[in-house]
Amino acid sequence: FEVVLDGYTREPWSSGGVTHNSDNNSSWKTGYLLSTDGRNRLPGFLKYLRDRKKACIAKLNDSTASTRAILVVPFDPPPVPSEQLPAGVDKTQLLYVKYLADDRLLSRGKKPAAADPNEQLQMEKQKQKEKQMQQQQKIQREQQQRQKQRTQQKNSTQAISTKQGFGGGILGNLLGAQLKTQNHLDVVRTKRRNNDLVPDLTSGAAGAITSFREKVAADLEKFKSDNGTFVTKVSISLAALVSHVPMEERDKVTMDVFKYVVYEQVEEVGMDKWVAAKEPTDFIDEIVIAVYKEGHAPADVLEDLNKADLPAELKGLSRHMADTQSKIAQRKDKRSSEVIMKQNIVGEDNVVVLNTNKRDRRTLEQIQKDMMEDISEVKKSRFD
């Protein structure tokens, strides 16, 4: 059978040294329970009971009778006799328990009047003292608040009279009272409207974004449930989406916001396994995003995504290599054209070649750079 320890008590009968009830001559049955789960949690449980000086109890219903038995785990169990331990059993694996067949025996013979009257008087006095202290503290707080209000009113009236410098008479008193009223009206806070407290997510920019998110989520759920479809397309038309948005809120609903919503829903519905890629288009306010299920994305789409994931240093290096290769090709074409032109000129006496001894107007850095590139070309040609 199974017993659940679901209560605690600090009654005198729950102590480990009490094995006999003097009120009704009922005896407790004692014993030891052996832990077999191997988790070694009994020492921590017993330490918890000792620190709080309370016992753990469980009440069992008897199916054959209308009585309830009680099982107690005291916080101060007697020492385990080492000579009676079975072989291979540790003391830390044993749990001392007390058992009583009928819990009504504990309540029989109890007399409420037999309680210590001194303790009851002390408890009543302590409660009265606590109530008096609470009342005194409340009165002191109210008095302090009243004093603060009075001092603030005095300071405000003095400041008004000193700043304005109104004299006596009916007109001076009237102007002073008017300024005092205006000062109090400035101090009073206006109540906030309910519309300011709770934002409306069904209209304006928030409503457009919310409706678009729900539409995309519904379409992607249908796409997920269709096992025969592996590609779907989500179209975004900025003009149609912001048609019902006020002009002062249209700067909040941009194309980047709707693209982010689509990518976010693709990650949530596809559980980070789908691939979303924007298709090329000729319009600025209309785009189409293609969504591929896992394993069905084309190679060119994956290559473009991987290029976008490259760090800035690798992108700059690839750009530099492309520029150098184009410059090398231009130089080769220039040299070949010069050679062809010289070959065509040979044998003609009336042809004069101009600008052959032009001044080199390059800087030192450009000359050194060109020399390094020529050296690298020579090395490459050797290896080739």
Side-chain angles (χ1 to χ4, degrees):
F1 66 98
E2 182 179 353
V3 178
V4 179
L5 300 171
D6 55 355
Y8 297 95
T9 183
R10 288 191 175 93
E11 295 290 338
W13 48 261
S14 64
S15 176
V18 178
T19 58
H20 185 76
N21 194 353
S22 60
D23 296 334
N24 46 30
N25 296 326
S26 61
S27 299
W28 290 83
K29 295 181 182 180
T30 61
Y32 290 92
L33 299 179
L34 179 63
S35 175
T36 59
D37 59 352
R39 297 182 180 180
N40 197 18
R41 292 185 176 180
L42 287 181
F45 176 62
L46 295 175
K47 183 178 182 301
Y48 174 82
L49 297 178
R50 281 196 304 272
D51 294 341
R52 289 154 181 80
K53 292 184 180 180
K54 62 182 180 180
C56 191
I57 62 173
K59 293 187 179 181
L60 311 174
N61 294 323
D62 191 355
S63 60
T64 59
S66 62
T67 60
R68 285 197 307 175
I70 185 170
L71 181 72
V72 181
V73 180
F75 70 91
D76 53 348
V80 181
S82 58
E83 62 274 4
Q84 296 181 4
L85 282 175
V89 177
D90 192 6
K91 292 181 179 181
T92 59
Q93 299 177 356
L94 296 177
L95 181 67
Y96 177 78
V97 297
K98 296 164 50 177
Y99 178 77
L100 190 63
D102 191 357
D103 62 344
R104 294 179 296 179
L105 298 175
L106 298 174
S107 60
R108 290 177 184 174
K110 286 189 177 182
K111 298 178 180 180
D116 192 358
N118 295 327
E119 292 182 357
Q120 292 182 356
L121 290 174
Q122 290 178 359
M123 292 290 290
E124 291 178 357
K125 290 181 179 179
Q126 187 175 1
K127 290 180 180 178
Q128 290 178 358
K129 288 181 180 179
E130 289 179 355
K131 289 181 179 179
Q132 291 177 359
M133 290 290 293
Q134 290 177 359
Q135 291 178 357
Q136 291 177 359
Q137 290 177 358
K138 186 177 180 181
I139 293 169
Q140 289 177 359
R141 290 173 185 172
E142 291 178 354
Q143 290 178 356
Q144 289 177 359
Q145 290 179 358
R146 290 174 184 173
Q147 289 178 358
K148 286 181 180 180
Q149 291 178 359
R150 289 173 184 174
T151 53
Q152 288 177 358
Q153 290 178 359
K154 289 180 180 179
N155 293 330
S156 62
T157 54
Q158 289 177 1
I160 291 169
S161 61
T162 54
K163 287 181 180 179
Q164 300 297 332
F166 294 115
I170 298 175
L171 183 59
N173 293 332
L174 182 61
L175 293 174
Q178 185 179 2
L179 290 173
K180 185 177 178 181
T181 304
Q182 289 179 358
N183 187 15
H184 285 297
L185 289 175
D186 293 336
V187 172
V188 174
R189 296 180 179 178
T190 59
K191 293 183 179 180
R192 298 182 65 183
R193 295 178 298 177
N194 294 329
N195 295 332
D196 297 336
L197 296 175
V198 181
D200 189 7
L201 300 178
T202 59
S203 62
I209 296 172
T210 304
S211 60
F212 180 71
R213 181 184 286 108
E214 293 175 354
K215 178 180 177 299
V216 172
D219 294 341
L220 292 178
E221 289 292 342
K222 292 180 182 179
F223 175 61
K224 183 179 180 180
S225 60
D226 190 359
N227 296 325
T229 307
F230 304 104
V231 182
T232 187
K233 294 183 180 181
V234 180
S235 59
I236 303 175
S237 178
L238 187 61
L241 292 173
V242 301
S243 59
H244 299 288
V245 179
M247 294 299 296
E248 61 272 10
E249 295 185 6
R250 290 195 177 183
D251 56 344
K252 300 179 183 179
V253 282
T254 60
M255 182 62 74
D256 294 334
V257 174
F258 291 114
K259 285 196 294 184
Y260 175 78
V261 170
V262 174
Y263 290 130
E264 181 186 19
Q265 293 301 318
V266 169
E267 290 181 359
E268 290 181 1
V269 179
M271 301 176 66
D272 294 335
K273 294 182 179 179
W274 294 356
V275 176
K278 186 182 74 170
E279 293 186 349
T281 180
D282 297 333
F283 302 98
I284 300 175
D285 59 344
E286 292 183 3
I287 64 170
V288 177
I289 298 177
V291 182
Y292 304 92
K293 288 185 179 179
E294 185 181 7
H296 295 83
D300 54 349
V301 173
L302 295 176
E303 186 177 356
D304 293 338
L305 292 176
N306 293 330
K307 283 182 181 179
D309 294 337
L310 289 175
E313 295 179 356
L314 292 178
K315 289 181 180 179
L317 181 60
S318 61
R319 195 182 303 111
H320 177 68
M321 291 176 64
D323 293 340
T324 53
Q325 289 178 359
S326 63
K327 288 180 180 179
I328 291 170
Q330 290 176 2
R331 291 195 193 94
K332 287 183 179 179
D333 294 338
K334 185 178 179 182
R335 290 174 185 173
S336 61
S337 63
E338 289 178 355
V339 171
I340 293 170
M341 186 173 63
K342 288 180 181 180
Q343 290 176 358
N344 294 331
I345 291 172
V346 174
E348 297 181 0
D349 297 335
N350 298 327
V351 178
V352 179
V353 180
L354 302 176
N355 296 330
T356 55
N357 296 323
K358 291 192 337 180
R359 182 180 176 182
D360 194 354
R361 298 183 180 276
R362 294 178 296 172
T363 61
L364 294 176
E365 295 179 355
Q366 292 177 351
I367 293 170
Q368 291 177 358
K369 186 177 180 180
D370 294 337
M371 291 175 64
M372 293 297 295
E373 290 177 356
D374 293 338
I375 293 170
S376 62
E377 290 178 5
V378 172
K379 290 181 179 180
K380 288 180 182 179
S381 62
R382 289 178 181 176
F383 287 111
D384 295 339

